[in-house]
Amino acid sequence: MNIRLGRTFFMLTVSALLFACSENTPQEAKADEQASSNNSSGNSESPIALISRPMDRHFDRLQDQFQNNLIDQSKTPLDLWSPYEVSRGAQLSLRSGLDVNASEDELLSAYFGSSDYDVKDLNLSPDGRTLLFAAHGPVGHPTDYSWNIYTLNYDTQLIKRVISDDNVANAGQDTSPVLTMAGNIIFSSDRDAGNPNNPRPNEEFLGDPRCEKVDPIENPSLLHSMSQNGDSIIQLTYGRTNHDIKPTLLTDGRVAFIRWERSTQVVEQCLSYFGLGKQTNSGELLGAKAFSIAQPEEWEEPEFCAYAKLTQQGAVTVTNHYKLLTISADGAQMEQLYNTVTMEPSEESFLAVDRIVQAENGNLYAVLKHQYNEVLGGALVELQPQQGPAGGSVFSELSPVLLSNNDVNLYPGQTSPGGWYSAASPYRDSTGRTLVGWSQC
């Protein structure tokens, strides 16, 4: 790869959805931008790492997943995506700059020997010289057949898997890497590696005893730490019912992350709906009576029961819960930033916090995204300092405020006056500017 790089590097979330409303096949590209400590000007010659996905393939996958989970009486579309889910066909590229004539080089096909891989969770080192990401090799790949953590060194242009030993690397599903200011890599994994220096987990953060495993057939994905050479792997967070995902580095050295849990409740009134067959018209179910980030109307019984599933306990409904937490680089200190978000029995149940990043003013930006949004976009919001639940909006416990002037509709099949956002990355140059991934439709 002949890639010439400048002194400062940006990892930018860019939605290459320029043709999302046309007859052309659109692509979505997403990555995360963080300026280096040397220069934060974000000029047009700063290289950009990005991920692109073929939207037609993604849309078909969403349709199939929703429809299959709706029809299968033992499943529900409210069982949201696993962090281990693989969606092959993504491409990791490095673009020479923001200019329309900038060159762009795809990076991983040569490494994997195929373009049929998946890649996600881009993050940049504090000094802006190293790109970290998670990738999954093609089907049948001899050495990279699980989710693993990789780095791209901008100076040498070398891509390497952090854990060099094949058996150790593929012993777990590793995603969401972030390089801390202390020099260790924090990532999410199902390794359950434990920690000999801290064998007793913090009981306060083990999870709600009313919750069940996020998916009974998979292990929780929890935060772990390792050296930049892939050794000294230890576990930082614990739990039986949660995934700890989407970590991001804060300016004070802590790491913020999202904890996702799920609970079920028996709903005897829904048993009769299973006798008649579950409703299967996804077009009638998704996006009804829901607009922007306003709290949607609660479901009536037919909609509510359409999303129930059958278990050994009878018909149950699923509720997703979200916590926003911080943890120190060594895992010794953990704090919950906002009250727990419990999704209402409405269209809000399909929403999730897709990405978080710290803005220049110290607050967090987040993308609120619908699980089945066909363009992989959502609403860009700023989370205000905790003030308690603010009625009238989704994720009200996080005090979200739209950053766009126009409303952003989150739900499938809707047009959105404010377009859709895939992520945001502050320039960090004291101007308050933010680079955003955006599509107009």
Side-chain angles (χ1 to χ4, degrees):
M1 294 180 291
N2 293 320
I3 306 172
R4 293 291 175 261
L5 304 168
R7 293 179 56 83
T8 307
F9 305 97
F10 291 85
M11 189 168 58
L12 168 66
T13 300
V14 179
S15 286
L17 285 168
L18 301 178
F19 305 104
C21 295
S22 72
E23 296 179 357
N24 295 309
T25 300
Q27 288 187 329
E28 186 270 353
K30 73 172 189 175
D32 206 14
E33 176 270 339
Q34 181 179 347
S36 81
S37 58
N38 297 324
N39 186 336
S40 301
S41 62
N43 60 65
S44 62
E45 296 181 356
S46 301
I48 303 160
L50 57 92
I51 295 170
S52 61
R53 296 182 186 276
M55 289 304 301
D56 53 350
R57 185 170 174 178
H58 173 76
F59 178 75
D60 290 342
R61 179 166 169 259
L62 285 182
Q63 289 282 86
D64 290 344
Q65 183 184 32
F66 182 89
Q67 207 65 21
N68 292 338
N69 287 351
L70 189 65
I71 296 171
D72 190 331
Q73 294 189 349
S74 65
K75 297 180 180 179
T76 170
L78 297 179
D79 291 334
L80 303 185
W81 284 12
S82 159
Y84 316 130
E85 191 116 8
V86 180
S87 180
R88 293 183 174 85
Q91 288 190 344
L92 175 63
S93 301
L94 192 67
R95 187 175 176 86
S96 61
L98 290 170
D99 189 85
V100 66
N101 296 317
S103 62
E104 190 169 308
D105 295 276
E106 192 276 330
L107 299 177
L108 288 180
S109 291
Y111 181 92
F112 287 125
S114 169
S115 62
D116 200 31
Y117 60 84
D118 196 7
V119 58
K120 62 180 183 178
D121 300 338
L122 305 189
N123 260 311
L124 203 60
S125 62
D127 67 0
R129 310 305 297 178
T130 302
L131 177 71
L132 296 90
F133 57 93
H136 194 297
V139 174
H141 196 278
T143 60
D144 296 78
Y145 46 87
S146 68
W147 280 107
N148 275 289
I149 307 302
Y150 301 81
T151 61
L152 167 66
N153 184 286
Y154 281 125
D155 297 317
T156 65
Q157 303 176 25
L158 292 178
I159 295 172
K160 76 166 187 174
R161 192 178 64 198
V162 173
I163 302 175
S164 58
D165 184 271
D166 291 341
N167 292 328
V168 176
N170 293 288
Q173 301 286 350
D174 304 334
T175 62
S176 299
V178 60
L179 183 62
T180 73
M181 295 179 184
N184 58 308
I185 296 173
I186 289 180
F187 62 105
S188 187
S189 178
D190 67 346
R191 290 179 178 271
D192 195 23
N195 184 351
N197 298 319
N198 185 24
R200 295 180 62 84
N202 188 335
E203 297 293 336
E204 181 182 356
F205 293 99
L206 275 180
D208 192 322
R210 297 170 298 175
C211 293
E212 63 173 23
K213 289 181 68 174
V214 174
D215 188 327
I217 65 173
E218 70 184 21
N219 292 322
S221 190
L222 303 169
L223 294 188
H224 289 65
S225 172
M226 64 180 169
S227 72
Q228 295 183 51
N229 293 322
D231 52 20
S232 303
I233 300 175
I234 59 173
Q235 188 170 346
L236 300 182
T237 64
Y238 296 82
R240 299 175 299 276
T241 66
N242 52 282
H243 286 316
D244 293 342
I245 53 177
K246 309 293 184 182
T248 189
L249 184 64
L250 304 181
T251 54
D252 63 5
R254 294 179 299 165
V255 171
F257 66 96
I258 298 164
R259 172 163 291 179
W260 165 35
E261 295 178 291
R262 188 186 65 178
S263 63
T264 58
Q265 181 178 358
V266 175
V267 282
E268 295 181 358
Q269 69 269 30
C270 292
L271 278 174
S272 60
Y273 289 85
F274 287 90
L276 297 173
K278 291 175 69 177
Q279 184 175 350
T280 58
N281 189 337
S282 59
E284 294 179 0
L285 286 175
L286 286 176
K289 302 177 182 178
F291 301 97
S292 190
I293 65 170
Q295 183 68 53
E297 295 181 14
E298 288 197 14
W299 286 324
E300 300 291 339
E301 186 173 287
E303 295 170 304
F304 179 76
C305 290
Y307 293 126
K309 65 179 182 178
L310 283 179
T311 68
Q312 293 180 347
Q313 289 74 39
V316 301
T317 185
V318 170
T319 302
N320 291 294
H321 311 267
Y322 297 93
K323 293 184 175 79
L324 189 53
L325 307 170
T326 64
I327 192 169
S328 58
D330 61 2
Q333 297 179 327
M334 189 155 52
E335 177 185 3
Q336 185 167 338
L337 295 181
Y338 291 86
N339 293 331
T340 301
V341 178
T342 296
M343 310 308 282
E344 299 294 333
S346 69
E347 293 294 326
E348 182 187 25
S349 298
F350 291 109
L351 304 182
V353 182
D354 185 63
R355 288 288 292 182
I356 52 175
V357 64
Q358 190 174 31
E360 281 192 309
N361 64 6
N363 292 341
L364 291 173
Y365 288 169
V367 174
L368 305 183
K369 184 184 293 186
H370 193 287
Q371 175 78 20
Y372 297 99
N373 186 302
E374 57 266 39
V375 297
L376 288 169
L380 177 61
V381 298
E382 181 176 2
L383 309 184
Q384 301 297 302
Q386 185 175 1
Q387 300 171 345
S393 74
V394 297
F395 285 89
S396 61
E397 291 82 357
L398 304 184
S399 301
V401 175
L402 277 175
L403 286 172
S404 55
N405 293 327
N406 296 319
D407 283 339
V408 175
N409 286 329
L410 302 174
Y411 304 93
Q414 295 180 329
T415 57
S416 180
W420 289 284
Y421 294 82
S422 59
S425 299
Y427 272 59
R428 306 189 193 283
D429 62 354
S430 301
T431 65
R433 296 179 299 167
T434 299
L435 296 171
V436 298
W438 182 72
S439 168
Q440 182 179 16
C441 265

